[in-house]
Amino acid sequence: MGRTILVTGGAGFIGSNFVLQRIAAGDRVVNLDKLTYAGNLGNLDSVKSHPDHIFVQGDIGDSALVQCLLQTHRPQALVNFAAESHVDRSIISPEEFIFTNVVGTFRLLHESLNYYRTIDSKAQSRFRFLHVSTDEVYGSLSQTAPAFTESKAYEPNSPYSASKAGSDHLVRAYHHTYGLPTLTTNCSNNYGPHQFPEKLIPLIILNALKGEPLPIYGDGLNVRDWLYVGDHCEAIGLVLEKGAAGETYNIGGDSEKTNIDVVTTICSIMDECHPEGAPHKRLITYVKDRPGHDRRYAIDASRIKRELGWQPRETFHSGIRRTVEWYLSSSAWIHEVTSGDYRNWIAANYNSRGAAKDSAR
């Protein structure tokens, strides 16, 4: 029999993929999600009637609700995906990020500690609080600097990454001060099915599908390490099962790519899968860079590979093809999420930047 896991943010991109994996593995999931613009119950259609999936709409900052869920369902683990996560939105509305990512995580930790103190020693030895974080807390790397290790000093450069850094520090403090058995994972840029299309890869796929401009910040040479979401979720499951309490594990895809390389790769796949719009590369448009745009991120995932035996299954080229094919076959999901707030956001964020350079660059 599997565990009962309280998952927060389990209707979002990474959270929903994790929920689907854990239910398939035989775990029981209590899924708490506020259902903001990026949370979508459509991501969980395949388990909406599953007896091992219990969905609750609510906020991690609601201490009474979290306390009730912990006492009612008696989970053996809590996995925290709940976060405001888009850098551009954090630049425009930083307060939401502080409240959810810092205050919300604090309240979740505090109620988890109270619950932990009520369970017996055997249950305490099994319980884990796993906090899902980002490589952005480490700041920006030069082109020749070594990749981020777990001992890299934090140097966040945006309100988003600063709020995640704050939450990471709280998780560490609750372990060292109160003995709560915590785990932290810091991942590189995820991509794959169900990602809300404000992020680079789904935005480019959907704009290419519609024949609209493919916006790239600055010179397009910012570098990210890309991680397929299924590989990330498998790593989280492994950390939850085998990770040492109080420790941090970096999770990366061994796939450093410039933004322009990512976009041109997608264009090539779209030329093949959606030839009526080819060549899609003609749609590339350079726009004004965003403030504080980190130049390069790279994850050194050697610890989780060495200690826990994890390896990513997908290369960037296999994963990006799977991703493009999923979006091309998911028109109903796309229609549901690309309305209202999303359209307003795209207009506010990209249209105001204008075409800084033409697509021939």
Side-chain angles (χ1 to χ4, degrees), residues 205-224:
I205 296 170
L206 299 190
N207 278 20
L209 185 62
K210 294 180 290 185
E212 296 181 355
L214 310 182
I216 299 179
Y217 286 141
D219 61 8
L221 298 181
N222 299 75
V223 174
R224 300 294 181 263

Side-chain angles (χ1 to χ4, degrees), residues 243-350:
E247 296 299 323
T248 296
Y249 297 87
N250 282 353
I251 306 170
D254 295 330
S255 297
E256 284 189 60
K257 304 288 180 185
T258 64
N259 287 347
I260 188 60
D261 283 344
V262 170
V263 173
T264 55
T265 299
I266 293 171
C267 287
S268 296
I269 298 171
M270 288 292 294
D271 288 349
E272 177 186 339
C273 297
H274 186 67
E276 57 266 38
H280 292 87
K281 187 176 179 180
R282 65 185 168 79
L283 300 170
I284 291 174
T285 303
Y286 291 83
V287 300
K288 182 180 178 182
D289 209 352
R290 71 182 179 205
H293 195 180
D294 290 335
R295 193 61 171 173
R296 172 177 170 248
Y297 304 142
I299 280 282
D300 180 345
S302 58
R303 181 182 190 186
I304 189 174
K305 294 175 182 178
R306 180 180 66 252
E307 296 183 10
L308 305 185
W310 175 81
Q311 289 285 343
R313 298 176 186 269
E314 301 289 343
T315 65
F316 179 75
H317 288 284
S318 66
I320 198 65
R321 178 170 288 275
R322 290 184 65 178
T323 301
V324 171
E325 291 172 350
W326 184 86
Y327 279 92
L328 292 180
S329 65
S330 302
S331 57
W333 183 91
I334 291 167
H335 176 74
E336 181 181 350
V337 302
T338 55
S339 61
D341 181 68
Y342 169 73
R343 290 175 181 164
N344 294 337
W345 161 251
I346 292 298
N349 189 61
Y350 287 105

